[in-house]
Amino acid sequence: MLVKVNDLRGLKGFPSHRTTASEWLRSRRIETHGIAGNGGIVEHVLLSDLPADVRRAYWLRELDSLHLPHGTYDDEAHETFDEASADRQARAERKALIATTLTGLRARGVKGKKLFALVRERFGTDGTSEAALKRIEKRVKGVDPINYAPALLDDYRPTAKRAEFSEEAKAFALRRIGESGPGWELTEAWDEVRTVGAEMGWAVPSNSTLYRWWNEELSEADRQVARYGKDVAIKNMTQPVMRDKTSIAPLEWVSLDGRVQDYWVDFGDGKPVRPIMIALVDVASNKVLAWELAKSENAVVTRRVLKRLCATYGIPERIYPDNGRAFTGKKVSGGVGFSFRNPKTLEKMGVPGICKHMGIAVTFAKPANGRAKQAERTFRLLSRKLDECPEFQGAHAGHAPGTRPSAKVLPISIETANRMAEHYITKLNKRTGSRAHGARGRSYDEMFRDGLAGRLVPPRKPTERQLYIAGLDWTEVTVDGNARVTIRDWTYGDWDTYLVLIEYAKGKPKNPRGGVKIVFGRDPDDFNAPAIAYDADGNWICDGIQPVQRGEYGDAEGAQTAARNEKSATNAAKKAKAAQDALNEAKYKQATAALYDHVAADQPQAPEPGNVAAGHFDQPFRKRKQAEKRAADVIPEEFLRNLDTAIAADLRRQRGE
């Protein structure tokens, strides 16, 4: 719809001066149209090209001129209008001006054919037939004049008036949905809200309106919290972090996890067990580095798998386990890292685990965050092949947790389970055509090999002693008065380590008040092997701490061992006595005489007695008679001089002077 530029001057948001108006239009790149009129060419612009505030001011003025009430401005309808194309806006605004004219003339009493003739005279014959004008009036029936333009857009669908739904009824519906199970139907919620609303006087709409309220007015967060609760909603709506695995090298990050297998295994005792596979997976290449099938997820097996990895490929920089007890305990993570299961920092644990001995950092996964662990994704790939393989016929356990074996179960041997697991893991590592991140069609083995070759610093290799120490069971213990250590039914310590360990017994120099413990390591597979001891600060104490073998009563070998211990103690005591007697008797007497002379010469003189200050009280002291000193209580000075002379003469006589 074209309007004269001069008719726009002075409107809110539009310049009032002619020159300024032309510059304003050019700066906003609004095209002007010159139309011949009385007195020359008259500039026009399309109303739809003008900003929304200028168009609104124009319509308000038109309504004022017809003495029509503006009505309530519908922001949502005008937002829809602004999103329409320029052509649709132009057609709607022309129809709106026609509708405004129709409404204004009817308000002044004009009607019938005369009304339509006046409108046609002003706007021409295009779109002003009697039928078209009636359609326009029908479209704007019940619409405020200020909203005529949005209502007359092509294909406009006015917003239906929603049925009333009181806030109390909404809150009750959300509360009932939140307290129900996730699958509770909305129809049941509506039925309950309707029943309670009738008693409480709440406005409750139809079932379909409640569905629209649930799906259109509530956000996804509202629906998630109502259905599953806040914690689950947070988990469901949290977007996973996308990490670039090409930025890390092999053995920089290694994922550690365990999974219950879906088949029954006989470990040699005739009892069917669903084994646990504990596996270490390289995050950079997805290669399975080490694994073991065990009866349960425990720290001993985990330590053994880690030790095997270090011996085969080198020491990883960091492992990434979950918060299972097998991984957060002292045997694995003691001395390093932080566990979500136990908020106590593991660095404060006195017993070092294998990661501490090997220098492996530990980063624990957040609880219930399986998507972050590479090992879990690898387990899913393996389970599709391994759990259902033909060799396990009769031993399939299904996927449900807590399954118990039936009488028809035929468990496979642990040897068969290990052989098949080795087969499928090797096959998985060698499979080419991988579409994993950064794989470019290479197998996991190739990615691991190429990544190791590209490392600037090669992985650290453990020494034999480091592997040995890392595989020991470490326990905090106290040393008894016999320089021995007892762990359950085993006692360690002989004469070879007596003089070193006795220093940590209660009352000795390194444990004067008791309570000091040492860290004691022994071979978990052979308690008869010699043990190792460190102090609480990690300082080495001694190796080769032998177990004490208990003999039978009257056993000759036991008596011989006791005799050897007594002989060793006798020899040590002789050496100590010899060190004590290194100074001959004459020299010793001379040294003690010098000590006595020094003590006598340094004896301080008794100070003269001074006056004692009297106290001050509210009432004066009563005067008492001062007792006179008796002559017998005073030692004559001459007696003291004679005593000193006698002591000195006695010392000279002892020295032979």
Side-chain angles (χ1 to χ4, degrees):
M1 173 179 156
L2 291 171
V3 295
K4 295 178 181 179
V5 174
N6 287 338
D7 291 344
L8 298 173
R9 286 160 52 187
L11 290 176
K12 183 179 180 181
F14 195 89
S16 58
H17 193 272
R18 179 177 58 84
T19 306
T20 308
S22 298
E23 293 176 356
W24 186 87
L25 291 169
R26 281 195 300 272
S27 65
R28 286 161 177 75
R29 298 182 179 180
I30 298 175
E31 184 181 1
T32 59
H33 305 270
I35 300 176
N38 295 331
I41 302 300
V42 180
E43 285 189 333
H44 291 69
V45 294
L46 284 170
L47 185 61
S48 58
D49 289 343
L50 296 173
D53 58 337
V54 177
R55 292 201 310 270
R56 182 177 181 182
Y58 175 81
W59 284 112
L60 291 175
R61 189 183 67 183
E62 291 296 312
L63 294 174
D64 289 338
S65 66
L66 294 172
H67 305 287
L68 293 175
H70 302 166
T72 303
Y73 188 83
D74 190 338
D75 292 313
E76 184 177 351
H78 281 274
E79 286 179 5
T80 304
F81 180 82
D82 292 338
E83 294 173 357
S85 64
D87 291 341
R88 291 179 64 203
Q89 287 181 356
R91 289 192 296 270
E93 285 174 332
R94 182 175 182 273
K95 292 177 183 179
L97 189 57
I98 293 173
T100 304
T101 304
L102 288 169
T103 305
L105 290 175
R106 280 191 182 278
R108 295 178 182 182
V110 182
K111 55 185 178 181
K113 293 186 179 293
K114 185 178 179 180
L115 172 64
F116 296 147
L118 288 174
V119 172
R120 197 174 295 114
E121 181 181 345
R122 179 177 178 183
F123 294 99
T125 59
D126 185 18
T128 55
S129 65
E130 185 174 340
L133 293 176
K134 287 182 178 179
R135 284 195 299 270
I136 290 175
E137 284 192 300
K138 186 178 180 180
R139 290 276 298 273
V140 298
K141 185 179 180 179
V143 178
D144 292 333
I146 192 64
N147 302 318
Y148 279 176
L152 291 166
L153 274 173
D154 299 340
D155 301 326
Y156 174 74
R157 295 290 183 269
T159 304
K161 187 176 181 180
R162 296 289 178 87
E164 189 177 355
F165 194 0
S166 66
E167 295 300 323
E168 294 90 346
K170 292 178 182 178
F172 180 76
L174 285 176
R175 181 72 177 269
R176 295 297 292 170
I177 292 171
E179 292 177 352
S180 65
W184 199 50
E185 294 183 355
L186 289 178
T187 303
E188 294 295 328
W190 170 77
D191 188 61
E192 290 191 358
V193 173
R194 182 183 59 173
T195 302
V196 175
E199 298 292 330
M200 304 292 291
W202 297 339
V204 180
S206 65
N207 189 19
S208 60
T209 302
L210 184 140
Y211 264 87
R212 284 196 300 270
W213 164 74
W214 174 264
N215 292 310
E216 297 177 10
E217 295 187 21
L218 294 182
S219 66
E220 177 64 14
D222 294 330
R223 293 191 293 268
Q224 285 278 342
V225 172
R227 281 297 193 190
Y228 309 108
K230 185 182 71 172
D231 295 338
V232 177
I234 292 173
K235 179 183 176 181
N236 290 342
M237 294 187 296
T238 300
Q239 294 180 317
V241 177
M242 303 298 290
R243 302 188 185 277
D244 183 9
K245 294 203 300 184
T246 61
S247 63
I248 59 175
L251 293 181
E252 286 188 0
W253 284 78
V254 173
S255 180
L256 168 63
D257 201 9
R259 180 185 180 273
V260 179
Q261 303 299 288
D262 293 333
Y263 48 86
W264 299 102
V265 170
D266 180 1
F267 280 83
D269 54 6
K271 298 179 180 179
V273 177
R274 288 179 69 178
I276 299 279
M277 177 180 283
I278 296 177
L280 288 159
V281 180
D282 182 62
V283 175
S285 64
N286 302 331
K287 177 183 173 68
V288 180
L289 301 172
W291 59 274
E292 184 169 330
L293 293 174
K295 288 185 177 181
S296 64
E297 188 177 82
N298 61 79
V300 174
V301 175
T302 303
R303 181 177 58 191
R304 191 158 57 229
V305 175
L306 269 169
K307 184 178 175 182
R308 191 180 308 133
L309 162 65
C310 296
T312 305
Y313 298 105
I315 302 174
E317 302 296 326
R318 183 180 299 273
I319 63 169
Y320 189 56
D322 63 16
N323 290 268
R325 295 184 182 276
F327 310 142
T328 60
K330 296 181 180 182
K331 287 181 173 63
V332 175
S333 303
V336 295
F338 171 85
S339 167
F340 286 98
R341 175 183 291 276
N342 183 0
K344 181 177 69 171
T345 303
L346 290 171
E347 292 175 354
K348 296 180 180 179
M349 290 186 177
V351 178
I354 183 173
C355 292
K356 179 71 172 179
H357 287 298
M358 290 294 185
I360 303 172
V362 182
T363 298
F364 290 97
K366 292 181 67 176
N369 189 26
R371 292 178 295 180
K373 294 180 288 185
Q374 178 62 43
E376 285 205 2
R377 295 194 287 274
T378 302
F379 281 140
R380 286 197 295 271
L381 291 175
L382 279 173
S383 65
R384 298 170 190 168
K385 304 179 182 299
L386 181 60
D387 294 347
E388 305 291 341
C389 71
E391 286 77 9
F392 293 171
Q393 183 180 8
H396 300 301
H399 304 295
T403 306
R404 294 182 178 275
S406 66
K408 298 181 180 179
V409 166
L410 298 174
I412 60 173
S413 67
I414 183 60
E415 292 78 15
T416 301
N418 283 329
R419 185 175 70 254
M420 297 311 302
E422 178 69 28
H423 169 74
Y424 281 107
I425 289 174
T426 302
K427 188 176 179 180
L428 177 67
N429 285 338
K430 291 186 175 185
R431 186 183 62 186
T432 58
S434 173
R435 293 182 292 177
H437 181 61
R440 300 189 302 278
R442 295 175 297 171
S443 68
Y444 297 161
D445 279 341
E446 291 171 337
M447 292 173 64
F448 184 77
R449 180 199 61 205
D450 296 343
L452 283 182
R455 283 188 55 154
L456 297 177
V457 179
R460 295 171 292 136
K461 295 293 184 180
T463 63
E464 290 187 9
R465 179 173 175 80
Q466 192 176 12
L467 286 171
Y468 172 71
I469 292 177
L472 299 180
D473 259 345
W474 295 91
T475 312
E476 287 182 300
V477 296
T478 56
V479 180
D480 63 20
N482 294 318
R484 284 175 172 171
V485 169
T486 299
I487 303 176
R488 295 182 181 177
D489 296 331
W490 289 80
T491 301
Y492 295 83
D494 59 8
W495 179 253
D496 293 337
T497 56
Y498 178 90
L499 295 178
V500 181
L501 292 179
I502 195 62
E503 299 292 328
Y504 295 88
K506 183 178 179 180
K508 299 303 179 181
K510 295 187 178 181
N511 190 10
R513 298 181 180 180
V516 173
K517 294 184 177 182
I518 65 173
V519 182
F520 197 80
R522 55 181 184 160
D523 191 338
D525 299 321
D526 183 11
F527 288 165
N528 281 308
I532 302 176
Y534 286 82
D535 65 17
D537 296 326
N539 299 312
W540 176 80
I541 297 176
C542 62
D543 286 7
I545 307 173
Q546 297 290 341
V548 177
Q549 303 294 337
R550 296 178 181 270
E552 297 179 358
Y553 284 97
D555 182 33
E557 185 177 352
Q560 293 175 359
T561 301
R564 286 195 296 270
N565 289 342
E566 182 180 2
K567 183 177 179 181
S568 298
T570 301
N571 292 336
K574 287 181 179 179
K575 290 182 180 179
K577 180 63 176 174
Q580 181 180 346
D581 295 341
L583 196 65
N584 59 43
E585 188 66 22
K587 288 289 184 180
Y588 176 73
K589 289 183 177 180
Q590 185 179 356
T592 53
L595 173 64
Y596 294 149
D597 286 344
H598 177 75
V599 172
D602 291 344
Q603 185 70 25
Q605 296 294 328
E608 294 291 334
N611 296 326
V612 178
H616 297 280
F617 301 89
D618 293 339
Q619 296 180 355
F621 280 114
R622 294 180 180 179
K623 293 184 178 180
R624 293 183 179 181
K625 293 183 180 180
Q626 189 175 8
E628 295 181 0
K629 293 182 178 180
R630 294 178 298 173
D633 294 335
V634 180
I635 299 176
E637 292 184 4
E638 183 179 359
F639 175 83
L640 295 175
R641 287 196 299 272
N642 292 337
L643 181 61
D644 290 340
T645 302
I647 291 173
D650 184 67
L651 290 174
R652 286 194 297 273
R653 186 167 49 256
Q654 292 179 7
R655 292 196 297 264
E657 297 178 0

